[in-house]
Amino acid sequence: MSSPDAARQLTVRAILLSLVLTVLLAAANAYLGLFAGLTVATAIPAAVISMGVLRLLGRSNILENNIVATGASAGSAIAAGTIFTIPALVLMGHWTRFEYGWVIAIAGLGGLLGVLFSVPLRRTLIIEQKLQFPEGVATAEVLKVGEDPGRGLKALASAAGAAALFKLALSGFKLSPEAFTAARFLGDRGIGFFGINLSPALLGVGFIVGFNIGCLMLSGGALSWWVFIPFYNAFLMDGNPELAALVSGLSAEDTAYTIWSRQIRYIGVGAMLIGGLWSLWSLRKSLFSGVRTGLALRGASAAGVPHTERDLPMGAILTGIVLFVLPLFALYYAVVDSLGIAFTMAIIMVIAGFVFSSVSGYMAGLVGSSNNPVSGITISTILFASLILLAIMGSGSTVGPVAAVMIGAVICNAAAIAGDNLQDLKAGQLVGATPWRQQVMLGIGALASAAVMAPVLNLLLEAYGIGTPAREGVNALAAPQATLMASVASGIFGSGLPWNMVATGAVVGAIVITVDEYLRRSGKSWRAPVLAVAVGIYLPLELSTPIFVGGLIAELATRWHRRRNPGGDTEKLKQMGLLFSAGLIAGEAIIGVLIAIPIVASGDANVLALRESLQPGKWAGIVALAFMGWWLHRVATQRGRD
């Protein structure tokens, strides 16, 4: 029986508002992902904004707001799938800039395939297995209690404005350095290092991912910068005369960064590889269940089925998959100039795409979209595709690494959207939405997000640089996952990887997996997902540090509520903190994109900088970041004071 509100979900105004939010959130997450190697789910802030805006426009309902949140959430998913992979083509020298047609085809078609791949998984993962889908549940709760969204909008807007001003002051006006670092040699060969990036967005990321993940990322950073780098410099440097000559005469900080970039970060590669393979193995039973469901061709749109159970019809799904794969096959052929190899690439892409979309959906159900190890899944894909293409094309192939990355890029977008789609469908199930309408909206959002990726990436490339600075006076965007993808694909085809470091990372990953399994079987609430540690090893320490601080603030807020509200739902009580954190991320990321415009237009990295005499120095930035941390804690504990 149909709900009276069932027809008022996919409205014109909901679609238009969702598209505006999708574009903004996609650009913000593209910047954040290239900067810090992380993206965050955006359905909750989109839901809050929707409730406020649609209320101003007239009567709205919970299902219409849910549609807006569904479409807008595609922005973070497509941004993640794109920036984790496609910049590798620039880093490998295949492109000098991001080609619009190629980017929209890879990201857009990959996203649409992700929507279609995830449709037959809805019943298995949401209804039959009853996975938690934490962000979907949280979004539904926000929608259900949204009678007065003004408070949430105020928290979101004030945080976004403060973070935007903070970013403008540091990156634009140059009032303070963007990071505080300190390093010195200890004894003859030891190195001591500490760093923290002065970023409100990273505080917000840490608050959202929580104390557990924040600790694991910092522990990975500590292993990298406080153990492996000093150990390599003290005991292994003599075995690498080329690197020893390179660091000769450098400062302690420059020496540490050089060792990290040339050797130690590949320990993170090994840990990510073993983590991605472990994810596949540990999810094998659920994966097979999802495959069986997909092959069952359930007729979800049959007459008599409640609107809350109607998915896109399976005939349309199969037709869509064929139609979307054909242009990708043409793109692959344009790269490799071989029908046989292009066909092989397309087959790998379809099979691996459905497999990894299933894994992504399951992981989203367990740990949420923000913690979904899509990058680990993609590394496994690129490794697998590289080995198959290596057997076909040979180690001397120059297009082999490019072909492997292009397969991985489509699959990464598909997997990111699949996990996001299932998260949205969980929220829809809880509020009584119609699944096929959400699936259509997510497809629209995926295409809109893909449409803005190339211009945003080109702007960031020209203003800041990706991997290497675009000009003197700017900090390049690290693009850690894309750099990793490029290294793995190129390394397989013979350009060389420090395989001893990769093997060390695999051992570290195996140890972390063993610890995590022990914690799981012991019923501990604290877990040790290997990919969180691996990302910490792979990132510069100054990026992991503020994420840890944000997680610590979240833990302090949780304990504050437990003391004052025994038995209360601490996640609901902290909800304003989550919205404030989302505002910090959005404000800093969007202004980071906007600052790039005058830099590119003028060709001067310091076009907005104030005179040196007006720059108070690094301590001003540290004090300001401390204030932002205090403010975040204050907002997160606000409900306990009401």
Side-chain angles (χ1 to χ4, degrees):
M1 183 173 172
S2 183
S3 159
D5 277 331
R8 297 195 62 249
Q9 300 178 49
L10 206 58
T11 62
V12 172
R13 66 178 189 175
I15 293 173
L16 293 176
L17 176 57
S18 183
L19 289 177
V20 171
L21 294 176
T22 299
V23 169
L24 290 174
L25 295 171
N29 266 288
Y31 174 85
L32 179 66
L34 291 172
F35 170 48
L38 295 164
T39 59
V40 294
T42 51
I44 292 176
V48 172
I49 294 171
S50 173
M51 288 186 290
V53 173
L54 292 185
R55 177 164 297 184
L56 292 175
L57 297 177
R59 190 170 64 90
S60 66
N61 62 75
I62 192 171
L63 302 182
E64 193 177 21
N65 289 316
N66 179 63
I67 281 290
V68 175
T70 296
S73 68
S76 59
I78 289 295
T82 301
I83 59 93
F84 287 173
T85 53
I86 291 179
L89 299 172
V90 171
L91 294 169
M92 294 191 308
H94 180 68
W95 290 347
T96 56
R97 64 194 306 277
F98 296 94
E99 302 292 337
Y100 187 85
W102 284 86
V103 173
I104 194 171
I106 292 170
L109 293 174
L112 291 174
L113 285 171
V115 174
L116 298 181
F117 288 150
S118 63
V119 170
L121 300 172
R122 182 185 70 86
R123 182 170 297 276
T124 294
L125 298 181
I126 294 177
I127 298 174
E128 295 174 2
Q129 295 201 18
K130 296 182 173 65
L131 295 180
Q132 179 62 29
F133 289 98
E135 286 151 351
V137 172
T139 302
E141 289 300 317
V142 169
L143 290 167
K144 287 177 182 177
V145 299
E147 291 83 6
D148 182 18
R151 192 173 187 181
L153 277 172
K154 181 180 178 181
L156 198 72
S158 59
L165 290 174
F166 192 106
K167 180 69 176 177
L168 181 63
L170 268 62
S171 296
F173 300 153
K174 308 292 184 182
L175 295 182
S176 175
E178 295 180 67
F180 173 83
T181 57
R184 59 176 298 178
F185 288 110
L186 303 175
D188 293 334
R189 305 286 289 273
I191 300 177
F193 181 89
F194 176 78
I196 181 169
N197 194 286
L198 306 183
S199 166
L202 294 182
L203 283 183
V205 169
F207 190 96
I208 290 171
V209 301
F211 188 54
N212 190 170
I213 299 298
C215 283
L216 292 172
M217 288 190 65
L218 184 63
S219 67
L223 280 173
S224 184
W225 292 83
W226 298 344
V227 177
F228 294 136
I229 290 175
F231 183 87
Y232 192 97
N233 193 51
F235 299 106
L236 301 179
M237 186 65 78
D238 293 338
N240 190 341
E242 181 182 351
L243 183 59
L246 194 62
V247 301
S248 178
L250 295 181
S251 66
E253 182 173 339
D254 290 341
T255 298
Y257 272 106
T258 303
I259 295 172
W260 168 78
S261 65
R262 297 298 182 98
Q263 294 288 325
I264 301 305
R265 66 175 178 165
Y266 291 98
I267 296 176
V269 172
M272 284 187 187
L273 284 172
I274 202 73
L277 294 173
W278 173 251
S279 295
L280 290 179
W281 174 254
S282 60
L283 298 175
R284 63 194 183 281
K285 293 181 181 178
S286 298
L287 176 59
F288 292 146
S289 174
V291 172
R292 285 195 300 270
T293 301
L295 296 177
L297 306 183
R298 297 176 183 268
S301 61
V305 176
H307 81 92
T308 54
E309 290 298 319
R310 292 181 187 169
D311 293 293
L312 290 172
M314 190 57 68
I317 291 170
L318 295 177
T319 302
I321 290 173
V322 172
L323 291 177
F324 299 152
V325 168
L326 288 176
L328 289 170
F329 169 77
L331 290 180
Y332 292 157
Y333 176 73
V335 172
V336 299
D337 196 26
S338 166
L339 287 173
I341 295 175
F343 181 76
T344 302
M345 292 171 66
I347 293 298
I348 294 172
M349 186 264 296
V350 171
I351 295 174
F354 182 69
V355 168
F356 290 127
S357 292
S358 302
V359 173
S360 176
Y362 190 86
M363 291 301 293
L366 289 179
V367 299
S369 297
S370 296
N371 299 325
N372 196 352
V374 171
S375 57
I377 290 170
T378 308
I379 294 166
S380 301
T381 302
I382 289 179
L383 177 63
F384 174 69
S386 295
L387 292 173
I388 291 178
L389 294 173
L390 177 66
I392 299 173
M393 305 171 74
S395 60
S397 172
T398 57
V399 298
V402 173
V405 168
M406 284 193 170
I407 293 172
V410 174
I411 292 173
C412 190
N413 277 283
I417 278 288
D420 183 70
N421 189 20
L422 288 163
Q423 202 79 248
D424 294 329
L425 290 171
K426 178 63 178 180
Q429 180 204 31
L430 295 174
V431 300
T434 306
W436 74 262
R437 288 184 168 93
Q438 289 187 270
Q439 291 152 3
V440 168
M441 188 65 243
L442 195 68
I444 295 171
L447 286 176
S449 303
V452 300
M453 281 293 102
V456 169
L457 289 174
N458 279 322
L459 180 63
L460 296 176
L461 176 66
E462 293 178 35
Y464 303 113
I466 295 176
T468 56
R471 51 178 53 83
E472 187 177 352
V474 299
N475 295 319
L477 299 169
Q481 284 87 353
T483 304
L484 171 61
M485 308 301 172
S487 299
V488 169
S490 299
I492 294 294
F493 279 86
S495 70
L497 282 176
W499 290 107
N500 56 337
M501 294 292 111
V502 175
T504 301
V507 172
V508 171
I511 293 171
V512 175
I513 288 169
T514 302
V515 172
D516 187 49
E517 280 297 290
Y518 168 77
L519 293 172
R520 181 182 67 83
R521 294 180 181 182
S522 301
K524 306 289 186 184
S525 59
W526 188 274
R527 296 295 300 277
V530 61
L531 288 168
V533 178
V535 169
I537 294 173
Y538 194 78
L539 287 175
L541 181 65
E542 63 265 26
L543 297 183
S544 298
T545 312
I547 292 173
F548 165 76
V549 173
L552 179 60
I553 293 171
E555 179 67 13
L556 292 174
T558 297
R559 296 187 179 189
W560 192 95
H561 284 299
R562 283 176 182 165
R563 287 195 305 269
R564 287 162 176 77
N565 305 281
D569 187 337
T570 56
E571 292 305 312
K572 286 185 180 179
L573 291 169
K574 287 194 314 182
Q575 198 170 82
M576 286 299 155
L578 291 173
L579 292 172
F580 191 86
S581 297
L584 292 178
I585 295 166
E588 178 176 333
I590 290 172
I591 204 69
V593 175
L594 294 178
I595 289 174
I597 296 174
I599 292 176
V600 171
S602 66
D604 181 7
N606 297 313
V607 63
L608 300 176
L610 300 179
R611 294 197 313 268
E612 262 189 64
S613 59
L614 298 176
Q615 299 174 9
K618 63 185 178 184
W619 292 108
I622 294 172
V623 171
L625 186 69
F627 171 76
M628 297 294 280
W630 171 85
W631 191 7
L632 172 57
H633 181 270
R634 180 79 180 179
V635 172
T637 57
Q638 184 176 346
R639 284 194 172 182
R641 296 188 177 92
D642 292 348

PDB file of all heavy atoms in Angstrom, residues 102-127:
ATOM      1  N   TRP A 102      37.411  12.589 -20.235  1.00  0.00           N
ATOM      2  CA  TRP A 102      37.883  11.354 -19.602  1.00  0.00           C
ATOM      3  C   TRP A 102      37.440  11.273 -18.151  1.00  0.00           C
ATOM      4  O   TRP A 102      36.995  10.219 -17.683  1.00  0.00           O
ATOM      5  CB  TRP A 102      39.407  11.265 -19.689  1.00  0.00           C
ATOM      6  CG  TRP A 102      39.914  10.882 -21.042  1.00  0.00           C
ATOM      7  CD1 TRP A 102      40.160  11.711 -22.101  1.00  0.00           C
ATOM      8  CD2 TRP A 102      40.215   9.558 -21.492  1.00  0.00           C
ATOM      9  NE1 TRP A 102      40.608  10.996 -23.181  1.00  0.00           N
ATOM     10  CE2 TRP A 102      40.657   9.669 -22.833  1.00  0.00           C
ATOM     11  CE3 TRP A 102      40.170   8.303 -20.908  1.00  0.00           C
ATOM     12  CZ2 TRP A 102      41.046   8.560 -23.594  1.00  0.00           C
ATOM     13  CZ3 TRP A 102      40.567   7.198 -21.664  1.00  0.00           C
ATOM     14  CH2 TRP A 102      40.988   7.333 -22.985  1.00  0.00           C
ATOM     15  N   VAL A 103      37.573  12.381 -17.431  1.00  0.00           N
ATOM     16  CA  VAL A 103      37.233  12.359 -15.997  1.00  0.00           C
ATOM     17  C   VAL A 103      35.746  12.113 -15.795  1.00  0.00           C
ATOM     18  O   VAL A 103      35.346  11.282 -14.968  1.00  0.00           O
ATOM     19  CB  VAL A 103      37.664  13.673 -15.314  1.00  0.00           C
ATOM     20  CG1 VAL A 103      37.159  13.723 -13.874  1.00  0.00           C
ATOM     21  CG2 VAL A 103      39.186  13.804 -15.322  1.00  0.00           C
ATOM     22  N   ILE A 104      34.911  12.819 -16.546  1.00  0.00           N
ATOM     23  CA  ILE A 104      33.465  12.631 -16.353  1.00  0.00           C
ATOM     24  C   ILE A 104      33.041  11.230 -16.778  1.00  0.00           C
ATOM     25  O   ILE A 104      32.130  10.632 -16.180  1.00  0.00           O
ATOM     26  CB  ILE A 104      32.656  13.714 -17.096  1.00  0.00           C
ATOM     27  CG1 ILE A 104      31.203  13.705 -16.594  1.00  0.00           C
ATOM     28  CG2 ILE A 104      32.691  13.520 -18.596  1.00  0.00           C
ATOM     29  CD1 ILE A 104      30.371  14.863 -17.099  1.00  0.00           C
ATOM     30  N   ALA A 105      33.715  10.662 -17.786  1.00  0.00           N
ATOM     31  CA  ALA A 105      33.370   9.306 -18.210  1.00  0.00           C
ATOM     32  C   ALA A 105      33.776   8.288 -17.148  1.00  0.00           C
ATOM     33  O   ALA A 105      32.979   7.418 -16.766  1.00  0.00           O
ATOM     34  CB  ALA A 105      34.053   8.984 -19.539  1.00  0.00           C
ATOM     35  N   ILE A 106      35.000   8.396 -16.654  1.00  0.00           N
ATOM     36  CA  ILE A 106      35.487   7.425 -15.666  1.00  0.00           C
ATOM     37  C   ILE A 106      34.712   7.547 -14.364  1.00  0.00           C
ATOM     38  O   ILE A 106      34.201   6.559 -13.815  1.00  0.00           O
ATOM     39  CB  ILE A 106      36.997   7.621 -15.425  1.00  0.00           C
ATOM     40  CG1 ILE A 106      37.787   7.233 -16.678  1.00  0.00           C
ATOM     41  CG2 ILE A 106      37.466   6.785 -14.237  1.00  0.00           C
ATOM     42  CD1 ILE A 106      39.251   7.610 -16.612  1.00  0.00           C
ATOM     43  N   ALA A 107      34.597   8.786 -13.841  1.00  0.00           N
ATOM     44  CA  ALA A 107      33.935   8.978 -12.548  1.00  0.00           C
ATOM     45  C   ALA A 107      32.423   8.811 -12.667  1.00  0.00           C
ATOM     46  O   ALA A 107      31.791   8.153 -11.821  1.00  0.00           O
ATOM     47  CB  ALA A 107      34.275  10.360 -11.990  1.00  0.00           C
ATOM     48  N   GLY A 108      31.826   9.393 -13.710  1.00  0.00           N
ATOM     49  CA  GLY A 108      30.381   9.331 -13.852  1.00  0.00           C
ATOM     50  C   GLY A 108      29.876   7.933 -14.146  1.00  0.00           C
ATOM     51  O   GLY A 108      28.947   7.440 -13.489  1.00  0.00           O
ATOM     52  N   LEU A 109      30.488   7.262 -15.125  1.00  0.00           N
ATOM     53  CA  LEU A 109      30.054   5.906 -15.450  1.00  0.00           C
ATOM     54  C   LEU A 109      30.388   4.931 -14.321  1.00  0.00           C
ATOM     55  O   LEU A 109      29.616   4.011 -14.029  1.00  0.00           O
ATOM     56  CB  LEU A 109      30.701   5.447 -16.760  1.00  0.00           C
ATOM     57  CG  LEU A 109      30.237   6.194 -18.015  1.00  0.00           C
ATOM     58  CD1 LEU A 109      31.045   5.779 -19.233  1.00  0.00           C
ATOM     59  CD2 LEU A 109      28.753   5.969 -18.261  1.00  0.00           C
ATOM     60  N   GLY A 110      31.534   5.145 -13.674  1.00  0.00           N
ATOM     61  CA  GLY A 110      31.861   4.313 -12.514  1.00  0.00           C
ATOM     62  C   GLY A 110      30.836   4.485 -11.403  1.00  0.00           C
ATOM     63  O   GLY A 110      30.400   3.509 -10.773  1.00  0.00           O
ATOM     64  N   GLY A 111      30.424   5.737 -11.167  1.00  0.00           N
ATOM     65  CA  GLY A 111      29.418   5.990 -10.142  1.00  0.00           C
ATOM     66  C   GLY A 111      28.082   5.361 -10.481  1.00  0.00           C
ATOM     67  O   GLY A 111      27.420   4.761  -9.626  1.00  0.00           O
ATOM     68  N   LEU A 112      27.656   5.479 -11.742  1.00  0.00           N
ATOM     69  CA  LEU A 112      26.396   4.865 -12.156  1.00  0.00           C
ATOM     70  C   LEU A 112      26.446   3.338 -12.035  1.00  0.00           C
ATOM     71  O   LEU A 112      25.470   2.705 -11.610  1.00  0.00           O
ATOM     72  CB  LEU A 112      26.065   5.268 -13.594  1.00  0.00           C
ATOM     73  CG  LEU A 112      25.679   6.743 -13.806  1.00  0.00           C
ATOM     74  CD1 LEU A 112      25.521   7.044 -15.292  1.00  0.00           C
ATOM     75  CD2 LEU A 112      24.401   7.089 -13.053  1.00  0.00           C
ATOM     76  N   LEU A 113      27.579   2.751 -12.393  1.00  0.00           N
ATOM     77  CA  LEU A 113      27.721   1.301 -12.211  1.00  0.00           C
ATOM     78  C   LEU A 113      27.633   0.935 -10.734  1.00  0.00           C
ATOM     79  O   LEU A 113      27.055  -0.093 -10.372  1.00  0.00           O
ATOM     80  CB  LEU A 113      29.047   0.826 -12.806  1.00  0.00           C
ATOM     81  CG  LEU A 113      29.109   0.743 -14.336  1.00  0.00           C
ATOM     82  CD1 LEU A 113      30.533   0.467 -14.797  1.00  0.00           C
ATOM     83  CD2 LEU A 113      28.169  -0.327 -14.862  1.00  0.00           C
ATOM     84  N   GLY A 114      28.192   1.779  -9.872  1.00  0.00           N
ATOM     85  CA  GLY A 114      28.112   1.520  -8.431  1.00  0.00           C
ATOM     86  C   GLY A 114      26.683   1.509  -7.931  1.00  0.00           C
ATOM     87  O   GLY A 114      26.304   0.673  -7.101  1.00  0.00           O
ATOM     88  N   VAL A 115      25.863   2.451  -8.442  1.00  0.00           N
ATOM     89  CA  VAL A 115      24.446   2.464  -8.075  1.00  0.00           C
ATOM     90  C   VAL A 115      23.787   1.155  -8.499  1.00  0.00           C
ATOM     91  O   VAL A 115      23.078   0.502  -7.718  1.00  0.00           O
ATOM     92  CB  VAL A 115      23.721   3.659  -8.724  1.00  0.00           C
ATOM     93  CG1 VAL A 115      22.222   3.579  -8.462  1.00  0.00           C
ATOM     94  CG2 VAL A 115      24.262   4.988  -8.185  1.00  0.00           C
ATOM     95  N   LEU A 116      24.030   0.741  -9.737  1.00  0.00           N
ATOM     96  CA  LEU A 116      23.387  -0.470 -10.256  1.00  0.00           C
ATOM     97  C   LEU A 116      23.891  -1.729  -9.551  1.00  0.00           C
ATOM     98  O   LEU A 116      23.110  -2.636  -9.239  1.00  0.00           O
ATOM     99  CB  LEU A 116      23.626  -0.583 -11.764  1.00  0.00           C
ATOM    100  CG  LEU A 116      23.050   0.552 -12.619  1.00  0.00           C
ATOM    101  CD1 LEU A 116      23.334   0.318 -14.090  1.00  0.00           C
ATOM    102  CD2 LEU A 116      21.550   0.711 -12.382  1.00  0.00           C
ATOM    103  N   PHE A 117      25.202  -1.794  -9.288  1.00  0.00           N
ATOM    104  CA  PHE A 117      25.756  -2.964  -8.604  1.00  0.00           C
ATOM    105  C   PHE A 117      25.176  -3.120  -7.194  1.00  0.00           C
ATOM    106  O   PHE A 117      25.026  -4.237  -6.690  1.00  0.00           O
ATOM    107  CB  PHE A 117      27.282  -2.858  -8.500  1.00  0.00           C
ATOM    108  CG  PHE A 117      28.008  -3.062  -9.798  1.00  0.00           C
ATOM    109  CD1 PHE A 117      29.220  -2.419 -10.035  1.00  0.00           C
ATOM    110  CD2 PHE A 117      27.510  -3.886 -10.782  1.00  0.00           C
ATOM    111  CE1 PHE A 117      29.910  -2.602 -11.221  1.00  0.00           C
ATOM    112  CE2 PHE A 117      28.186  -4.072 -11.985  1.00  0.00           C
ATOM    113  CZ  PHE A 117      29.393  -3.427 -12.208  1.00  0.00           C
ATOM    114  N   SER A 118      24.860  -1.994  -6.559  1.00  0.00           N
ATOM    115  CA  SER A 118      24.426  -2.049  -5.156  1.00  0.00           C
ATOM    116  C   SER A 118      22.941  -2.363  -4.995  1.00  0.00           C
ATOM    117  O   SER A 118      22.506  -2.743  -3.907  1.00  0.00           O
ATOM    118  CB  SER A 118      24.733  -0.720  -4.455  1.00  0.00           C
ATOM    119  OG  SER A 118      24.002   0.350  -5.043  1.00  0.00           O
ATOM    120  N   VAL A 119      22.161  -2.210  -6.078  1.00  0.00           N
ATOM    121  CA  VAL A 119      20.714  -2.445  -5.961  1.00  0.00           C
ATOM    122  C   VAL A 119      20.386  -3.850  -5.474  1.00  0.00           C
ATOM    123  O   VAL A 119      19.617  -4.026  -4.517  1.00  0.00           O
ATOM    124  CB  VAL A 119      19.995  -2.136  -7.293  1.00  0.00           C
ATOM    125  CG1 VAL A 119      18.549  -2.607  -7.238  1.00  0.00           C
ATOM    126  CG2 VAL A 119      20.040  -0.635  -7.575  1.00  0.00           C
ATOM    127  N   PRO A 120      20.952  -4.919  -6.085  1.00  0.00           N
ATOM    128  CA  PRO A 120      20.602  -6.261  -5.601  1.00  0.00           C
ATOM    129  C   PRO A 120      21.173  -6.605  -4.236  1.00  0.00           C
ATOM    130  O   PRO A 120      20.832  -7.647  -3.665  1.00  0.00           O
ATOM    131  CB  PRO A 120      21.175  -7.188  -6.684  1.00  0.00           C
ATOM    132  CG  PRO A 120      22.257  -6.399  -7.318  1.00  0.00           C
ATOM    133  CD  PRO A 120      21.800  -4.980  -7.281  1.00  0.00           C
ATOM    134  N   LEU A 121      22.049  -5.724  -3.692  1.00  0.00           N
ATOM    135  CA  LEU A 121      22.625  -5.984  -2.375  1.00  0.00           C
ATOM    136  C   LEU A 121      21.759  -5.439  -1.248  1.00  0.00           C
ATOM    137  O   LEU A 121      21.986  -5.765  -0.082  1.00  0.00           O
ATOM    138  CB  LEU A 121      24.026  -5.353  -2.286  1.00  0.00           C
ATOM    139  CG  LEU A 121      25.062  -5.855  -3.297  1.00  0.00           C
ATOM    140  CD1 LEU A 121      26.324  -5.010  -3.209  1.00  0.00           C
ATOM    141  CD2 LEU A 121      25.386  -7.313  -3.055  1.00  0.00           C
ATOM    142  N   ARG A 122      20.786  -4.578  -1.589  1.00  0.00           N
ATOM    143  CA  ARG A 122      20.011  -3.917  -0.539  1.00  0.00           C
ATOM    144  C   ARG A 122      19.322  -4.929   0.373  1.00  0.00           C
ATOM    145  O   ARG A 122      19.412  -4.830   1.600  1.00  0.00           O
ATOM    146  CB  ARG A 122      18.958  -2.979  -1.165  1.00  0.00           C
ATOM    147  CG  ARG A 122      18.137  -2.196  -0.140  1.00  0.00           C
ATOM    148  CD  ARG A 122      17.036  -1.387  -0.802  1.00  0.00           C
ATOM    149  NE  ARG A 122      15.986  -2.236  -1.338  1.00  0.00           N
ATOM    150  CZ  ARG A 122      14.946  -2.671  -0.619  1.00  0.00           C
ATOM    151  NH1 ARG A 122      14.835  -2.363   0.662  1.00  0.00           N
ATOM    152  NH2 ARG A 122      14.027  -3.425  -1.179  1.00  0.00           N
ATOM    153  N   ARG A 123      18.642  -5.900  -0.226  1.00  0.00           N
ATOM    154  CA  ARG A 123      17.890  -6.852   0.593  1.00  0.00           C
ATOM    155  C   ARG A 123      18.825  -7.693   1.464  1.00  0.00           C
ATOM    156  O   ARG A 123      18.556  -7.924   2.641  1.00  0.00           O
ATOM    157  CB  ARG A 123      17.023  -7.749  -0.303  1.00  0.00           C
ATOM    158  CG  ARG A 123      16.161  -8.734   0.469  1.00  0.00           C
ATOM    159  CD  ARG A 123      15.166  -9.407  -0.439  1.00  0.00           C
ATOM    160  NE  ARG A 123      14.242  -8.448  -1.012  1.00  0.00           N
ATOM    161  CZ  ARG A 123      13.151  -8.027  -0.381  1.00  0.00           C
ATOM    162  NH1 ARG A 123      12.861  -8.469   0.826  1.00  0.00           N
ATOM    163  NH2 ARG A 123      12.347  -7.161  -0.956  1.00  0.00           N
ATOM    164  N   THR A 124      19.947  -8.146   0.879  1.00  0.00           N
ATOM    165  CA  THR A 124      20.868  -8.987   1.648  1.00  0.00           C
ATOM    166  C   THR A 124      21.465  -8.238   2.829  1.00  0.00           C
ATOM    167  O   THR A 124      21.437  -8.705   3.969  1.00  0.00           O
ATOM    168  CB  THR A 124      22.002  -9.491   0.739  1.00  0.00           C
ATOM    169  OG1 THR A 124      21.442 -10.363  -0.232  1.00  0.00           O
ATOM    170  CG2 THR A 124      23.038 -10.263   1.539  1.00  0.00           C
ATOM    171  N   LEU A 125      22.028  -7.053   2.563  1.00  0.00           N
ATOM    172  CA  LEU A 125      22.812  -6.374   3.589  1.00  0.00           C
ATOM    173  C   LEU A 125      21.958  -5.571   4.568  1.00  0.00           C
ATOM    174  O   LEU A 125      22.294  -5.476   5.750  1.00  0.00           O
ATOM    175  CB  LEU A 125      23.841  -5.455   2.919  1.00  0.00           C
ATOM    176  CG  LEU A 125      24.873  -6.161   2.024  1.00  0.00           C
ATOM    177  CD1 LEU A 125      25.848  -5.151   1.445  1.00  0.00           C
ATOM    178  CD2 LEU A 125      25.621  -7.234   2.786  1.00  0.00           C
ATOM    179  N   ILE A 126      20.870  -4.982   4.101  1.00  0.00           N
ATOM    180  CA  ILE A 126      20.056  -4.130   4.977  1.00  0.00           C
ATOM    181  C   ILE A 126      18.957  -4.920   5.673  1.00  0.00           C
ATOM    182  O   ILE A 126      18.731  -4.764   6.885  1.00  0.00           O
ATOM    183  CB  ILE A 126      19.450  -2.959   4.169  1.00  0.00           C
ATOM    184  CG1 ILE A 126      20.571  -2.027   3.679  1.00  0.00           C
ATOM    185  CG2 ILE A 126      18.448  -2.174   5.020  1.00  0.00           C
ATOM    186  CD1 ILE A 126      20.076  -0.881   2.815  1.00  0.00           C
ATOM    187  N   ILE A 127      18.269  -5.780   4.932  1.00  0.00           N
ATOM    188  CA  ILE A 127      17.104  -6.469   5.488  1.00  0.00           C
ATOM    189  C   ILE A 127      17.467  -7.820   6.089  1.00  0.00           C
ATOM    190  O   ILE A 127      17.136  -8.117   7.235  1.00  0.00           O
ATOM    191  CB  ILE A 127      16.018  -6.633   4.407  1.00  0.00           C
ATOM    192  CG1 ILE A 127      15.556  -5.252   3.940  1.00  0.00           C
ATOM    193  CG2 ILE A 127      14.835  -7.438   4.936  1.00  0.00           C
ATOM    194  CD1 ILE A 127      14.599  -5.274   2.770  1.00  0.00           C
TER     195      ILE A 127
END
